[in-house]
Amino acid sequence: MTRCWTGLLLLALAGCGSAPPSLEYYLLDNTGAAQALPVNANRTAVSLLPLLLPDYLRQDGLVMQVAPHKLHVSRRHLWAQSLASSLSMALLRDVNGSDSQYVLRNLAEPGTAEAPYQLKVQILHLLIDQQSNIQLEARYWLLDSNESKTLRTGAVQSSLPLEEDGYGHAVAKMREAVAILSRDIQAQLSTLETSGQGL
Amino acid sequence: MRNDNEPLQARVEPVSSWSKVWLVPMVALGIGIWMVYLELSQQGPMITIEFQSAEGLEAGKTRIKTRDVDVGTVKEIKLAPGSEGVLVTARMSQEAESLLTEDASFWVVSPKVSLSGVSGLSTLLSGAYIELSPGSSGQTATQFRGLDDPPLTPAGAPGLHLTLSSGEEFAFSEGDPIIYKGLTVGKFENVYFNYAERMVYYNAFIHAPYHLLITRNTRFWNASGIKLDLGAEGISMHTGTLQTLLTNGVTFGVPDHLPAGDMITERSFFHIYPNAEKASAPHREFSQDYLVLMEDSVKGLQVGAPVEHRGLVIGEVLAVNMPMQDMPAFLDRSYHIPVLLALYPGEMGLKDSTEGREQLTTQMDNWISQGLRATLSMGNLLTGKQFVDLQYHPRLAPEQLVSLSDYRVIPTIPGDFSQLTQKLTALLDKFNDLPLEQLSTDTGQMMNSANNTMEGLQTTLSKLNSLLTDVEDKQLINQLTHTLAGLEGLSADYASDSTGYGELRQMMRRFEQTMLQLQPLLQQLNQNPNRLIFGGAVKEREPQAKGNSND
């Protein structure tokens, strides 16, 4: 009788054994692609204001649309950094990478508060849609810091198809979409430069 | 048988003297004569009435009435000779012939509105008419003089005619009421002013049966307007009827101290007193005159002012500053103002007779020798009216009896007001005698010393106050310095580049990482709580490349 009870206990303990869930963390900005910023002391500073994100991006799971008006937030594939910080870093890297008259600076950097221009970016959507595309929809405003006047406005809506399965590829495509947004911002900054509104 | 040769003989018949046709006009004539006779037999006499004016009268239309019955019609209106009036000729009915006595009255009835009332409203539509008031005389007449106004009392009305007189300034007019206990029992009929006596007489009529109230001892007094009495029990107000508030009026009664007296049956004379008090005051026939020589001012002392003894009225003032012989000149310093008094023996418990007056004279001589003195007292502080007060002053030295111009003189002493003035003067004299200048100087010096002392005390208090303030400020500053130093150390410990801040931030970061690691577990537990025990492969959707998607 004692042996029977011992066997049942061992079976129960064996049933409790389970493999821990495997978590995957992703980084939007690829640190391997970092390159040195060109040094130009005469560049006009543009302060990047905190990004405005939709509520469903204010969490760590990657988001995928599984049906119209229905999203799936992954519990295993997570952002290694908050999406707001990742997007800011990606924008800084992309915009400052070109040899432009302007330099985009994070608002937390010293001396950025005195920048004559401000860049305000609102991300409306950044997700994997039901048709296996990366959808990025964003708007941005270039502001005059002194007069609180809007100098330029812009809107970007890009759709990049996924060429491979998996969240890793999807994150890479998201980074490409952010690069498209950065180039559009660069283009608007260049119009400021050409129209002579820069310093 | 008749012979044909014989000539025919006409039969001659006498011709009729009148035709029967004439009966018709004869009958008509008879009827006419009968109608004329009937008309003339029913007509009354033609009368003539003289009025001041013919206002409202119209020939052929205006009726003559008595007791609202037509007794005649105005036939003709023409001016009287000399244009002093109009003559109204009227035909009266036969029944009214007996009413046309020589004392009959005629007047024109038309609408009238006065304070005494409204009358003749019915003539607004029917027009004016002439009212006939039959007389009591047996002598008939056809010439009459119309009245300007209707008589207040119809001729022959039961009641009593009176004649009232008044020497006061108030005057009554025709129609003013005579009231008894709030009931109008009579009216003033007319007013007559006697130039010789300078008196106003009023003929009045008291209706039956109230004329039985009029007796020999009845007194009439004015009841016009509102009477306010300020007494020890407060203010009381007396009024007559509403009519007496608007017009005037008198009332009457018998004083309590008098019997009712014999009833009046014929026209009698009565005096109208100003008020009930004076009307009910006993009438004294006998009095004894005395003279007082006043040193005080007699301002406020009037003729008729009472002479009192211990608050009881025993006489009245007959004259003030009466002209007398054997008196010094008016501006002489020794001139005393002569005031003539009348003392009534009836008011002093003596008989109201010659005997009582003699007793009063004897008693007064004794009283004067025992210290009776006259003085002026203030009767009313508001009006300043004064009266003569007789009081005993046994402590005063006896004076001899003195007569002046056949009047016994009552010695006087200064009045209350004069005594008060004298005492006040003496008090002021004492004040004047006080060394006020020296006192003022000493007071000034004392005030200066006190002022200096107060200034020194104020300076000392100011210094003490500033000292206390300094001490408090120093203690407060020390405490604030310590507190700020503590705050500064605390903030330095947690500054952005301090060790404490770094440790705190590192701890927060670790906590955030831990929460991130716990998040999938918490989500898994939330969805499948048993998976913690039983485990199981987690199958999750993953993105697929374009073209491999099943969707």
Side-chain angles (χ1 to χ4, degrees), chain B residues 55 73 187 190 196 269 271 340 342 358 387 404 408 410 545:
Chain B
E55 181 183 0
T73 307
K187 285 186 177 180
N190 52 55
F269 289 84
H271 181 72
L340 187 64
E358 290 175 354
F387 65 96
L404 191 63
R408 179 71 78 197
I410 302 175

Side-chain angles (χ1 to χ4, degrees), chain B residues 205-279:
Chain B
F205 183 78
I206 307 293
H207 297 287
Y210 305 105
H211 69 291
L212 301 176
L213 298 170
I214 310 300
T215 61
R216 286 290 171 197
N217 291 329
T218 299
R219 305 281 174 85
F220 288 80
W221 65 88
N222 185 14
S224 306
I226 301 173
K227 180 185 176 187
L228 284 174
D229 281 338
L230 179 61
E233 297 176 353
I235 298 175
S236 60
M237 186 175 71
H238 303 278
T239 62
T241 60
L242 177 63
Q243 189 178 355
T244 61
L245 285 177
L246 301 175
T247 61
N248 286 323
V250 297
T251 185
F252 61 89
V254 178
D256 295 336
H257 59 87
L258 291 178
D262 298 333
M263 193 181 304
I264 302 295
T265 56
E266 55 186 7
R267 181 182 290 273
S268 299
F269 289 84
F270 289 92
H271 181 72
I272 301 175
Y273 292 89
N275 50 51
E277 288 75 18
K278 293 196 174 181

Side-chain angles (χ1 to χ4, degrees), chain B residues 98-254:
Chain B
S98 61
L99 305 177
L100 301 173
T101 57
E102 60 181 4
D103 58 347
S105 302
F106 292 87
W107 66 91
V108 178
V109 178
S110 58
K112 282 189 177 178
V113 178
S114 66
L115 291 175
S116 301
V118 180
S119 62
L121 283 183
S122 61
T123 60
L124 282 173
L125 298 176
S126 63
Y129 64 89
I130 297 173
E131 178 74 23
L132 162 65
S133 176
S136 56
S137 171
Q139 190 67 33
T140 59
T142 56
Q143 303 284 335
F144 299 94
R145 185 173 185 84
L147 301 176
D148 296 334
D149 295 307
L152 294 173
T153 306
L160 179 65
H161 289 275
L162 301 173
T163 299
L164 306 175
S165 64
S166 171
E168 299 290 333
E169 293 180 353
F170 57 83
F172 302 95
S173 59
E174 295 177 2
D176 285 348
I178 298 173
I179 299 164
Y180 182 75
K181 295 185 183 299
L183 184 69
T184 301
V185 298
K187 285 186 177 180
F188 284 82
E189 290 183 312
N190 52 55
V191 183
Y192 171 70
F193 182 73
N194 190 320
Y195 290 93
E197 299 177 5
R198 297 182 184 274
M199 290 280 288
V200 184
Y201 289 93
Y202 305 96
N203 288 325
F205 183 78
I206 307 293
H207 297 287
Y210 305 105
H211 69 291
L212 301 176
L213 298 170
I214 310 300
T215 61
R216 286 290 171 197
N217 291 329
T218 299
R219 305 281 174 85
F220 288 80
W221 65 88
N222 185 14
S224 306
I226 301 173
K227 180 185 176 187
L228 284 174
D229 281 338
L230 179 61
E233 297 176 353
I235 298 175
S236 60
M237 186 175 71
H238 303 278
T239 62
T241 60
L242 177 63
Q243 189 178 355
T244 61
L245 285 177
L246 301 175
T247 61
N248 286 323
V250 297
T251 185
F252 61 89
V254 178

